[in-house]
Amino acid sequence: MSVVTLDHVERQIARGFRLLRFSPDLEPRFSKDYAAARVRLSVIWGIIGTLIYDLVYFGDRTMVPDVFDDMVKARFLVFTPFVIGCILAVRRWPNALLYDLLSIAIAVLGVTLPMAVATDSSSHYLFVYQNGNSAAFLFFVIALRPRFPAILAGLTLMCASHFAITHLTGAFDDVTYSGIVTFYLTLSIFLAVSAYFLERTDRQNFLNQLRGSLLYSRLELNAEHDELTGLLNRRSLARISEMLWHEAGRPSTISAILLDIDHFKLFNDFHGHIEGDACIRAVSQCIRETADEASFVFRFGGEEILVLSAGRGPLQALAMAERIRAAIERRDIRHRGLGDGRVTASLGVASASPVETTYEKLLQEADKALYEAKRMGRNTVALAPRPEPGTRVA
């Protein structure tokens, strides 16, 4: 299933869906949501529908007593087990197409069985008895509610079955039979139109809910990411540092890499702020691509970038910082303020156990190491000395 974006949803809303079909990006998502919703209710509707269907047992006794025994077999030994099997099938394989097909099968079987048995009846109440099938039409469309193409197919098959079997009974003259046909055709048309607008409403609600969830996700993403670089921001830093230092299962070691682009003010003076923003974005991308999966990358402020690595000791963090430094240098971003120079970065690395130091103190140590890297001539990495084990920094 392809990833659905807010743009996909917005385009679908603008384009509409008169044929009750979404774009290839959205239709599988709707089908999955539809199947899940129908399966959740399948047991309830299966019990209610079967109970109502079997309670017509009392109508069978009074209206078609001459075929009553066969009616009992049809309802309790054929239809009821079939519905139970359908419920088990859709719960085992929650698939939209399977649900639609089984809904059609239940509806057609529900209409066909009693009237097929009634063809052998000589009861005077067959006209009243056949009217009971209208409940099956209503249940199919309103309760089972398969998708619209399945409803059209189901109503067509139900009408065809009912018309054929009522004709085979030979109990109705032409006028009465035409009245039966007119009634069920009219009922089917009304139900089909209602089903169209019901599904249209379902699809519109689906789009609105999906749009709302995607908008919320985008707001959450924007709230925790820097707009210029796409890196995590200070709000994310507060949340993640709290998690690393105070939640259960915290790592034994945390490393901080603080990076500063060398001579960045001079870069802005010569290139302008637009190219300065592009430079920060390029450097940020370098860091994001080079940092390992256990790292969180933040825009710390201005051209300063912070990398927090959980479970990485000083030597591992030092090696990663060197890889980041080299990647930025290889990016070969021209720096006219340095003549024919290129953009480079200085990095300070500090590591400690969260039990032995605080988040603020670790950043202070990384900051000291960063200034040491600058003092050493820039475009280099400096490692802060690690506190002695057992020393708790307040």
Side-chain angles (χ1 to χ4, degrees):
M1 190 179 296
S2 60
V3 176
V4 175
T5 67
L6 185 59
D7 289 339
H8 290 141
V9 178
E10 297 282 8
R11 284 198 298 269
Q12 186 67 72
I13 291 174
R15 188 165 55 242
F17 43 92
R18 289 182 181 177
L19 298 179
L20 298 182
R21 184 79 182 177
F22 291 146
S23 67
D25 298 311
L26 287 171
E27 189 63 29
R29 177 73 68 93
F30 173 77
S31 296
K32 184 179 179 180
D33 185 78
Y34 156 85
R38 296 299 185 270
V39 169
R40 280 196 300 269
L41 295 173
S42 61
V43 174
I44 296 174
W45 284 125
I47 293 172
I48 293 173
T50 305
L51 182 63
I52 294 172
Y53 192 83
D54 290 343
L55 283 175
V56 182
Y57 163 92
F58 297 103
D60 297 339
R61 179 184 289 277
T62 56
M63 285 188 282
V64 285
D66 51 342
V67 291
F68 176 69
D69 291 341
D70 290 334
M71 284 292 186
V72 170
K73 293 174 184 177
R75 293 186 188 280
F76 292 96
L77 299 182
V78 178
F79 185 79
T80 300
F82 181 76
V83 172
I84 293 172
C86 290
I87 293 172
L88 294 176
V90 296
R91 291 183 69 83
R92 176 65 178 82
W93 300 286
N95 176 276
L97 179 59
L98 178 63
Y99 180 86
D100 287 347
L101 292 175
L102 292 180
S103 295
I104 293 172
I106 290 172
V108 174
L109 185 64
V111 165
T112 303
L113 274 179
M115 292 308 299
V117 174
T119 56
D120 294 327
S121 175
S122 58
S123 171
H124 298 295
Y125 299 105
L126 282 181
F127 177 77
V128 177
Y129 187 78
Q130 63 83 32
N131 281 337
N133 267 345
S134 60
F137 280 68
L138 293 169
F139 186 81
F140 172 62
V141 173
I142 297 173
L144 294 181
R145 285 184 66 188
R147 290 173 296 181
F148 186 66
I151 283 179
L152 292 181
L155 289 174
T156 300
L157 292 173
M158 292 165 76
C159 283
S161 173
H162 189 71
F163 297 158
I165 296 175
T166 52
H167 181 72
L168 288 174
T169 62
F172 310 112
D173 57 36
D174 290 344
V175 175
T176 303
Y177 182 73
S178 66
I180 292 172
V181 171
T182 302
F183 171 76
Y184 279 97
L185 285 178
T186 304
L187 176 65
S188 296
I189 291 170
F190 279 125
L191 288 175
V193 172
S194 300
Y196 174 87
F197 287 106
L198 276 173
E199 184 169 331
R200 185 173 177 82
T201 300
D202 284 346
R203 287 177 175 267
Q204 187 65 57
N205 290 339
F206 168 79
L207 287 179
N208 291 337
Q209 290 172 5
L210 185 58
R211 181 175 181 272
S213 65
L214 291 172
L215 280 172
Y216 182 76
S217 297
R218 177 176 286 186
L219 287 174
E220 278 195 323
L221 182 69
N222 291 342
E224 294 216 340
H225 287 75
D226 174 63
E227 186 176 358
L228 176 65
T229 63
L231 300 180
L232 297 169
N233 59 17
R234 285 292 192 103
R235 177 181 176 181
S236 298
L237 179 58
R239 177 180 58 81
I240 292 172
S241 62
E242 178 70 19
M243 174 188 71
L244 292 176
W245 260 264
H246 300 291
E247 288 190 4
R250 59 189 174 185
S252 58
T253 306
I254 299 175
S255 294
I257 302 172
L258 195 58
L259 175 148
D260 186 74
I261 299 175
D262 296 328
H263 304 293
F264 187 71
K265 182 179 182 304
L266 192 60
F267 184 95
N268 273 337
D269 291 342
F270 275 81
H271 292 263
H273 289 282
I274 293 178
E275 287 193 39
D277 287 348
C279 175
I280 293 176
R281 281 195 296 268
V283 170
S284 299
Q285 184 179 356
C286 266
I287 299 169
R288 191 163 43 216
E289 292 172 351
T290 310
D292 59 31
E293 294 181 357
S295 300
F296 302 93
V297 185
F298 307 87
R299 186 181 182 192
F300 195 62
E303 71 276 16
E304 283 191 328
I305 296 169
L306 170 68
V307 180
L308 283 181
S309 292
R312 298 292 184 266
L315 295 182
Q316 292 171 306
L318 186 65
M320 181 166 57
E322 177 57 31
R323 290 196 301 272
I324 291 172
R325 185 205 64 77
I328 294 170
E329 190 174 32
R330 285 196 304 272
R331 186 58 67 103
D332 200 29
I333 303 170
R334 186 181 178 189
H335 193 322
R336 292 201 303 269
L338 301 177
D340 196 30
R342 295 294 183 265
V343 168
T344 59
S346 301
L347 301 92
V349 181
S351 296
S353 166
V355 177
E356 297 171 352
T357 191
T358 62
Y359 149 73
E360 292 82 2
K361 182 62 178 177
L362 183 64
L363 290 193
Q364 288 175 10
E365 294 301 315
D367 193 47
K368 290 178 184 178
L370 171 60
Y371 276 98
E372 178 62 19
K374 287 180 175 293
R375 190 190 65 78
M376 292 164 59
R378 295 184 169 85
N379 191 23
T380 190
V381 179
L383 176 64
R386 188 170 183 179
E388 291 296 325
T391 304
R392 179 71 171 97
V393 181

